[in-house]
Structures are given as C-alpha cells and as structure tokens.
Amino acid sequence: MENVQSTPGVRTRLNVLLVGSSEKNYARLYNVLTRPIDGQFRLDHARNLEEALPLLKRSHHDLLLCDYEAGDYTALQIVHELRKAVPQLPVIFLSDHVNRASLQESVEKSIEKKDGKENLSSQKILNAVNAYCNERQLQKAEDMLRKLGRAVEQSADMVIITDRAGIIEYVNPAFEAVTGYTQGEVLGLTPRILKSGQHSTEFYQQMWQTILTGQVFHGVLANRKKNGETFVIEKTITPLRDSDGQISHLISNDRDITDRRRLETQLQMTHKMDAIGRLAGGVAHDFNNLLMVISAYAELMQDSLATGHPLLRNVQEIMKASKRAADLTRQLLAFGRKQMQALQLLDLNQVLKDISKMLPRLIGEDIQLTIVHGRNIGCVRADPMQVEQIVMNLAANARDAMPDGGKLTIETASIVLDESYVQK
C-alpha cells in the first residue's frame, strides 16, 4: 500500500484512489497526475481490498480508479465491497478501451468546482487515464508479440520469413534441425538452396504466381537437406501485406511428412501385394481344375495303352508336366495365403537334384553353377515347394549380385549351431 502526498504547502483539491494495479503502472499514473503544475492531486494506491478499506476510512477520496481486465470478477467484487463503504464514490474502470464521454462525466462529478479550474483538473485526469490505458494496450501488444515469438521458436514445423523477393530474413530452430542449415548460413539467401530438382519450372512459376496475387499457396514439395538427403514437406506460404496493402513479406510454414509418406508407400505396397496374392490364388484354383482334367485323361490313356506302345512315353511326359504344374499351383496358392504348408520329411540332396536342371536357366550362362551334396545329412521336416522356392530365390539374388558373371556354389551339410556360431 502506498499513500503519496502532493507537494508540501500546496492544498490538494482531489484525492484519487487506484486499486488493483501493479507498482509499475501506478508509478506511470502518478507521474502524470502529480506533475508539479498546481498540486491539485493526491494519488493513493491499494493493491487489493484489504489495503483499500483502511485508506477509505482514514481519508476522504473523490474518485476511485479500478484496474480491470475483461472477465476479472475479483476486481468487480472489490468495487462492490468498496461501494458499500462509500456508496457515492465515483468509480472508473481502467481497461484497454475507455469511453471518453463516460469518463469525462464521471471525472466532472468527482471534481469540486472552485476558482474556475475544474476544466484543468478534469482534463488532467482524462489525460492521465488515457495515457494509462494506452500504456496497457502497448504492454499487451508487447506480451502478445513475445508469446508469438516463443510459439514460433518452439514450433515443430519449420517457419521461414522472407521479403517479397524471397530473401530469407528469419528461420526458426525447427528449420535448422530438419535441414541441417544454421540460421547464419541461410540469412540473405533464398529457399532455392533446398531445391531437390524433382519439380519442374512450371511448378515453381505457378507457386510464385499464386503468392504474388495475394493468395495462400498450399502444396507438397520434395526438398534437399544440407547433407544431400531428400525430405518431403507440406508447405503453406502466406503473403504478408504492409499498411499500404502491398505484399512486403512471405511467411512459409513447412511440415516434414517424410516418415508419413514412407509409411503410406509401404501401406500401398502391402495392399498391392495382398491384391496380387488374391489374384494369384484365384488363378491357381482355376488352373488347378484344368490340371485335374488333364491328369485324369492322361491316366486313362496310360491305362489303355499296352506296355511298349510308342505313345506311352508321351503320355508319361504329359503326366510329369501335369504334376509339375500342380506343384507350381501350390506355390501360387501359398503366395496367396490360400493353402496351408504341406510339411513332410525331405532329403535336401534330392530336392536339389529335382531343381538342378531349372537353376542354370534361372541364373544364366555367365554364372557357373556347382552343387555339392553332403553325406549323411539326414532329413528335414519342411514343405518341399517352399524349400525349392527358397533355393531359387537365393540363386536369383546371387545372379543379381554378379552382373558380370561368376561362380555359384550350393552345398548341403550337417552343422551344429552352437552358442559361438550364433554370436558370429
């Protein structure tokens, strides 16, 4: 609580009580009101209701100024209690915007008209309150700018501010984290340093045409980091106009969606493979029905031909091809996840012998194929078609790794996978 007296020896004509303001704001108002012109004012200050009530009881006050924020019910409660103690005391709420006519009416009611100086007193009160309210507005504007500055600095999205020509004047920490460029490296440059070369000249022309006509640009761009990596962003560029309505700056807000795009691509590939699997399964079922007819008629022909008949060998080849096609159908069904594994005891050496004629055609003539069959390797429990598919996939990978030709060796052996082998 403060009680400030006017200049000694000069009669104070108007006692004013300020309630609820900060010490800094009180000092500003005091300096305006008690400026040594004629010593007409005394300004008391109470930070809360407990400080205001003793002041009102101790001395007479002509005017109550209450620092008020919109929605501040505490200030309203303080005034309500004070009006109980001094019901006739005029009250002025100091907010961001004050109605000057209402303010002048309240001030004039509180001023004793003596020596024809009431106009000077009321004008001084009005000027002080206006100066105080203007200062409040300035403080709020400064606080808002600080909040906006902190929000931009802490934003996870990249923020770039350029002039009308695209010269970079500001980038936030998120820009530095994503691109690898520091603020000092990019100031004075243009966002062209991030160009990846994946967009046409027409794309950028359309972007600038949109911006310079005052419209907001929305788009997806592929940019390049300082280390050469490509990243994808959702870009929004907003033109900023000056007091004359002319575009003076451009504000770009960029969101890194590289990971999201990668996940979307993987999801699309998964859906595509699932569709291919369903298609392969459907084709395999239809093809399998045709093979059953071919196999059945081939068996009937075999039964009707005598031993040594010249056509018997042809029929047997048809049956072998039909069996091989049935195995291929099972692979398609397995790929389409429409058939369970057919597990059985297998001799891996025999599996390799069955596909040894197919592998050279798969890997090409430039690669020399050697198959080494191990001794006493025992049997394994597996699906023969899947084992064949694994070997063929490994052979295809080896072919791709040797574009200029080479040597491919496939060997079977019995080994023990002990702890030391696993750690290698």
Side-chain angles (χ1 to χ4, degrees):
M1 179 186 69
E2 297 192 30
N3 188 350
V4 181
Q5 299 292 340
S6 60
T7 307
V10 178
R11 180 177 179 271
T12 300
R13 295 185 57 190
L14 188 65
N15 292 342
V16 181
L17 176 61
L18 175 64
V19 179
S21 182
S22 66
E23 297 292 337
K24 184 177 181 181
N25 289 336
Y26 159 72
R28 289 193 180 96
L29 189 60
Y30 169 74
N31 290 333
V32 176
L33 278 178
T34 62
R35 190 174 294 128
I37 297 177
D38 54 9
Q40 294 177 326
F41 300 97
R42 185 182 76 203
L43 179 63
D44 296 335
H45 180 213
R47 289 183 292 267
N48 49 49
L49 180 63
E50 289 73 17
E51 293 184 4
L53 288 174
L55 281 174
L56 290 173
K57 293 179 181 179
R58 189 184 319 152
S59 60
H60 170 77
H61 288 82
D62 305 290
L63 180 64
L64 174 64
L65 302 178
C66 183
D67 197 5
Y68 175 74
E69 295 281 352
D72 187 0
Y73 297 104
T74 303
L76 297 178
Q77 184 179 4
I78 290 174
V79 173
H80 179 71
E81 295 297 329
L82 293 178
R83 294 302 294 269
K84 290 181 181 179
V86 281
Q88 302 301 322
L89 183 63
V91 179
I92 297 176
F93 285 97
L94 302 177
S95 61
D96 294 337
H97 302 282
V98 177
N99 186 297
R100 190 173 180 86
S102 300
L103 174 61
Q104 186 168 1
E105 181 180 355
S106 298
V107 170
E108 290 177 349
K109 287 181 179 180
S110 65
I111 296 178
E112 180 183 4
K113 298 183 180 181
K114 290 183 179 180
D115 302 327
K117 296 182 179 180
E118 68 280 358
N119 290 334
L120 176 61
S121 300
S122 63
Q123 188 62 43
K124 195 169 185 180
I125 287 284
L126 292 173
N127 292 340
V129 171
N130 283 331
Y132 177 86
C133 294
N134 290 338
E135 185 68 25
R136 279 175 51 121
Q137 287 182 310
L138 180 60
Q139 286 181 348
K140 283 198 170 184
E142 291 175 349
D143 291 342
M144 182 58 67
L145 286 176
R146 282 193 291 270
K147 291 177 183 178
L148 291 175
R150 288 193 295 268
V152 171
E153 289 287 315
Q154 297 174 14
S155 173
D157 294 342
M158 295 177 285
V159 178
I160 309 170
I161 300 178
T162 73
D163 62 11
R164 180 186 173 90
I167 304 300
I168 297 176
E169 297 182 356
Y170 169 83
V171 295
N172 69 338
F175 175 92
E176 298 178 316
V178 173
T179 66
Y181 289 100
T182 64
Q183 188 177 76
E185 291 176 314
V186 299
L187 292 182
L189 303 179
T190 68
R192 295 189 187 95
I193 60 174
L194 302 177
K195 287 182 65 174
S196 63
Q198 298 185 20
H199 301 284
S200 64
T201 304
E202 291 75 14
F203 175 85
Y204 293 105
Q205 289 176 347
Q206 181 64 35
M207 179 182 70
W208 277 102
Q209 183 179 357
T210 301
I211 298 168
L212 296 180
T213 55
Q215 302 178 52
V216 178
F217 171 81
H218 298 280
V220 177
L221 279 76
N223 280 346
R224 194 179 302 279
K225 301 180 181 181
K226 183 179 180 180
N227 61 8
E229 294 181 6
T230 301
F231 65 104
V232 183
I233 58 171
E234 283 182 344
K235 178 179 280 291
T236 301
I237 305 178
T238 305
L240 185 64
R241 298 182 182 273
D242 58 19
S243 57
D244 297 327
Q246 300 298 318
I247 296 175
S248 61
H249 289 81
L250 305 173
I251 301 177
S252 176
N253 189 280
D254 303 343
R255 175 164 297 180
D256 187 359
I257 59 170
T258 306
D259 292 338
R260 191 178 80 188
R261 277 300 181 92
R262 186 181 297 115
L263 292 175
E264 289 175 352
T265 301
Q266 293 176 357
L267 182 61
Q268 291 174 358
M269 184 59 67
T270 300
H271 289 165
K272 185 183 296 184
M273 294 301 295
D274 185 62
I276 293 175
R278 289 196 297 269
L279 176 62
V283 172
H285 273 299
D286 295 338
F287 187 53
N288 195 47
N289 293 334
L290 296 175
L291 288 176
M292 291 178 62
V293 176
I294 295 173
S295 299
Y297 275 100
E299 290 178 1
L300 290 175
M301 289 180 63
Q302 183 182 29
D303 294 340
S304 62
L305 295 176
T307 304
H309 193 283
L311 295 179
L312 185 60
R313 182 178 177 183
N314 295 343
V315 174
Q316 291 174 344
E317 290 297 326
I318 293 174
M319 294 180 63
K320 288 181 181 179
S322 177
K323 181 179 180 301
R324 190 65 191 170
D327 293 338
L328 179 60
T329 302
R330 286 204 315 114
Q331 287 185 358
L332 290 174
L333 288 172
F335 176 75
R337 299 183 180 92
K338 297 182 180 294
Q339 182 165 309
M340 299 296 292
Q341 294 179 342
L343 301 180
Q344 52 187 279
L345 292 177
L346 296 178
D347 181 356
L348 292 181
N349 288 334
Q350 186 59 46
V351 174
L352 289 178
K353 287 179 182 178
D354 293 339
I355 63 173
S356 60
K357 295 181 180 179
M358 240 191 310
L359 289 177
R361 293 194 294 270
L362 175 65
I363 62 179
E365 298 177 354
D366 296 335
I367 298 178
Q368 178 185 352
L369 175 64
T370 301
I371 298 179
V372 180
H373 299 287
R375 296 182 179 180
N376 302 320
I377 62 172
C379 296
V380 297
R381 181 175 173 82
D383 186 319
M385 295 308 302
Q386 290 192 358
V387 173
E388 289 182 10
Q389 190 64 50
I390 290 172
V391 175
M392 293 174 68
N393 289 341
L394 291 174
N397 291 339
R399 175 200 62 197
D400 296 338
M402 298 183 289
D404 300 327
K407 182 177 181 181
L408 173 61
T409 301
I410 300 176
E411 180 179 358
T412 59
S414 294
I415 61 172
V416 177
L417 304 181
D418 55 12
E419 187 67 25
S420 60
Y421 179 88
V422 172
Q423 295 299 326
K424 292 181 180 179

